Amino acid sequence: MAVSYNRLWKLLIDRKMSKADLRKAAGLAPNTMTKLRRDEPVAMGVLEKICGTLDTDFGDIVEYVKES
C-alpha cells in the first residue's frame, strides 16, 4: 500500500501556508513532517490533527496510490 500527500502540499500552496506553519499549527513533530514529505504512512491521529487544523477531510490531504 502506498500513500501520497500531494493533495496536502497543493492545499497548503492554495492557502499560502508553509509546511512549517502547518507543523506549528497542528502541533506535529519534525519527524512526522519528514514522514509526510517522504510519502510514508503516518498515524491516523496525525491526519486527524491536520484535518482539524485545515478544516478539511481525509480525502483532501491524502490519496491512495495503487502499487504495480
Side-chain angles (χ1 to χ4, degrees):
M1 177 172 72
V3 293
S4 171
Y5 300 105
N6 286 337
R7 291 179 179 182
L8 172 59
W9 309 135
K10 290 175 185 174
L11 183 64
L12 290 180
I13 291 169
D14 291 344
R15 295 188 182 196
K16 295 179 175 52
M17 190 175 194
S18 72
K19 293 175 183 177
D21 293 337
L22 173 64
R23 186 180 70 77
K24 291 174 188 172
L28 303 176
N31 61 336
T32 301
M33 289 303 295
T34 300
K35 285 183 175 184
L36 290 169
R37 282 192 293 273
R38 293 179 180 170
D39 286 334
E40 295 176 2
V42 295
M44 188 64 86
V46 170
L47 299 178
E48 289 176 12
K49 285 182 183 180
I50 294 171
C51 287
T53 301
L54 299 176
D55 192 31
T56 61
D57 193 72
F58 292 118
D60 297 329
I61 63 170
V62 65
E63 178 182 16
Y64 171 75
V65 179
K66 191 174 185 177
E67 291 184 35
S68 53

